[in-house]
Amino acid sequence: MCDDISAFASQEAGLTAFRMRILLVDDQPIIAEAIRRMLADQPDIEFHYTTNPLEAVALARQLQPTVILQDLVMPAIDGLSLIKLYQADPALCCIPVIVLSAKEDAQMKAQSFAVGANDYLVKLPDRIELVARIRYHSAAHINRLQRNQAFHFLRESQQQLAAANVELEQLAALDGLTGIANRRRFDQSMQIEWQRGLREQTPLSLLLCDVDFFKLYNDNFGHQGGDLCLKKVASVLTSNLKRPADLAARYGGEEFAVILPHTAAAGAMKVARACCQHLENLNLEHPAAAPKGVVTMSIGMASLVPSADIGVEKLIALADRALYAAKRGGRNRVVNAAELPDESK
C-alpha cells in the first residue's frame, strides 16, 4: 500500500520543514522554460525538470518531489508508461502526478486516471491554476509524509517501550549479585514447570544447594570475598545445565536452587554430583572448611512426577530435607530424598 510506513523509511529527516519540490518530465525544453517562468515568483516552490523521459524514474527517486508534472507524448517511453513505473515503485507510488497533455481528451483523461494520475491539465495551463493545483497536491502529499513519519516514530517508541519493559521484567527476575534467576523467578518457574509436569506426566527434579561453612568464609575473607565466592558458585551451577528449560536460581543467602524439568532422579543426581565436583575442583581456598580446605557445597535432590493430590511445596520440602541430611552427613555431598527414611513411619 502507498501508505505503508516502510515506503517512507528512507525519506529525509524533518518532514515538518519539507519543501514543495516539483519535477517536470517533458521532452520539450520550451515547455520546461514556460513552467519555470510560471513558478519563478513562488520562492517556496523548488522546480526541477528533465527532457529525457528515460531518466525520469531515477531522478524522481533522487529528488523525492511533492508533485510530478508528466507529459504524455514523448520519445522512447510514453507518459502513461512512466506513471505505471512510478506506481510500481514503493518510493514513488504516493507522489501525486499531474498530467500535462496537449489536448483536452476525455478518453486520455480516463486512461491517465486509470493508471494512477491525480490530476490532468492541458498545457500550457493558466499560471494561477497551475500554482493552485501544485500547492493542493503538494500539501496533501506532505501531510501524508508527516503523518506516516509520526506513525513511524510512534511505532518506534512503542517498540522501544516494549523492549524496555521486557528488559525491566528480566532484570526484576535476576539476582543482583550473581546474575542468575532470583527467588521470585524461581517461585514462578516452579509453578510453571509443576503444571507442565502435571499435564504431561513427566518427572520434575529439584536441587537445593548450600555453600558449606559460608559464614566462616565471609568472616575470613570479608563480604567482598564472600560475594565473589557466590558468583563462582552461580557460574558452576549454570555451566552444568545443558537444556534451555533448566534453571539455576539464588534461593537465598548462600543457598541456590536448580530446577530440572523432564528429568528423573538418576539424571538429576548426575547433574548434582557434577556441580559438587566442579566447585571442589576450583580449589577456592577455605581454611575453615575441614577436611578439604576449599569451598564446597551440599546438595539435596528430590524428584517427583506431579500429581493432583500434592503440590509443588512437597517437592521443595523433600529437597530441603535431603539438603539438611547432606549437611548432617558431613557436607560436600549429594543426598537423594528418596533414599531417606520415611518420616511418616
Side-chain angles (χ1 to χ4, degrees), residues 184-200:
R184 176 188 173 196
R185 171 79 185 281
F186 167 82
D187 291 338
Q188 292 173 340
S189 296
M190 280 296 291
Q191 291 294 335
I192 291 170
E193 297 303 339
W194 183 266
Q195 292 302 319
R196 181 179 289 118
L198 185 62
R199 289 194 306 270
E200 300 174 2

Side-chain angles (χ1 to χ4, degrees), residues 65-220:
T66 57
V67 166
I68 296 174
L69 299 177
Q70 180 63 59
D71 185 25
L72 289 183
V73 181
M74 299 177 296
I77 183 170
D78 66 90
L80 293 179
S81 296
L82 272 179
I83 295 173
K84 291 178 183 178
L85 291 178
Y86 303 147
Q87 289 292 306
D89 191 323
L92 305 177
C93 66
C94 287
I95 297 174
V97 177
I98 300 177
V99 167
L100 291 181
S101 177
K103 56 183 178 178
E104 181 78 28
D105 186 309
Q107 185 174 358
M108 188 61 69
K109 275 187 180 181
Q111 288 180 333
S112 299
F113 291 132
V115 297
N118 300 82
D119 211 337
Y120 187 100
L121 290 173
V122 177
K123 60 182 178 183
L124 283 169
D126 177 78
R127 186 187 70 84
I128 294 176
E129 182 179 8
L130 176 64
V131 171
R133 297 202 184 203
I134 285 175
R135 289 188 177 280
Y136 172 79
H137 290 295
S138 289
H141 183 59
I142 290 172
N143 286 339
R144 181 164 51 242
L145 290 176
Q146 292 171 333
R147 182 197 65 197
N148 281 287
Q149 186 189 55
F151 285 161
H152 173 73
F153 289 154
L154 177 60
R155 186 171 68 177
E156 210 171 53
S157 297
Q158 289 172 334
Q159 290 171 342
Q160 291 173 352
L161 179 60
N165 286 336
V166 169
E167 186 176 355
L168 285 173
E169 189 174 335
Q170 290 174 340
L171 289 174
L174 297 180
D175 175 59
L177 175 65
T178 63
I180 64 174
N182 59 17
R183 178 62 181 270
R184 176 188 173 196
R185 171 79 185 281
F186 167 82
D187 291 338
Q188 292 173 340
S189 296
M190 280 296 291
Q191 291 294 335
I192 291 170
E193 297 303 339
W194 183 266
Q195 292 302 319
R196 181 179 289 118
L198 185 62
R199 289 194 306 270
E200 300 174 2
Q201 281 301 284
T202 52
L204 175 63
S205 294
L206 174 65
L207 311 181
L208 287 184
C209 319
D210 186 84
V211 180
D212 296 328
F213 303 109
F214 183 73
K215 184 179 184 304
L216 296 178
Y217 188 93
N218 247 349
D219 292 343
N220 195 15

Side-chain angles (χ1 to χ4, degrees), residues 23 25 49-61 77 82:
L23 173 62
V25 182
Y49 76 92
T50 179
T51 57
N52 182 0
L54 295 178
E55 69 177 19
V57 172
L59 190 57
R61 287 183 64 88
I77 183 170
L82 272 179

Side-chain angles (χ1 to χ4, degrees), residues 32-53:
E33 177 60 19
I35 299 295
R36 186 193 69 77
R37 288 172 179 267
M38 289 182 182
L39 301 178
D41 63 345
Q42 306 293 317
D44 59 333
I45 298 179
E46 185 180 309
F47 177 68
H48 301 265
Y49 76 92
T50 179
T51 57
N52 182 0

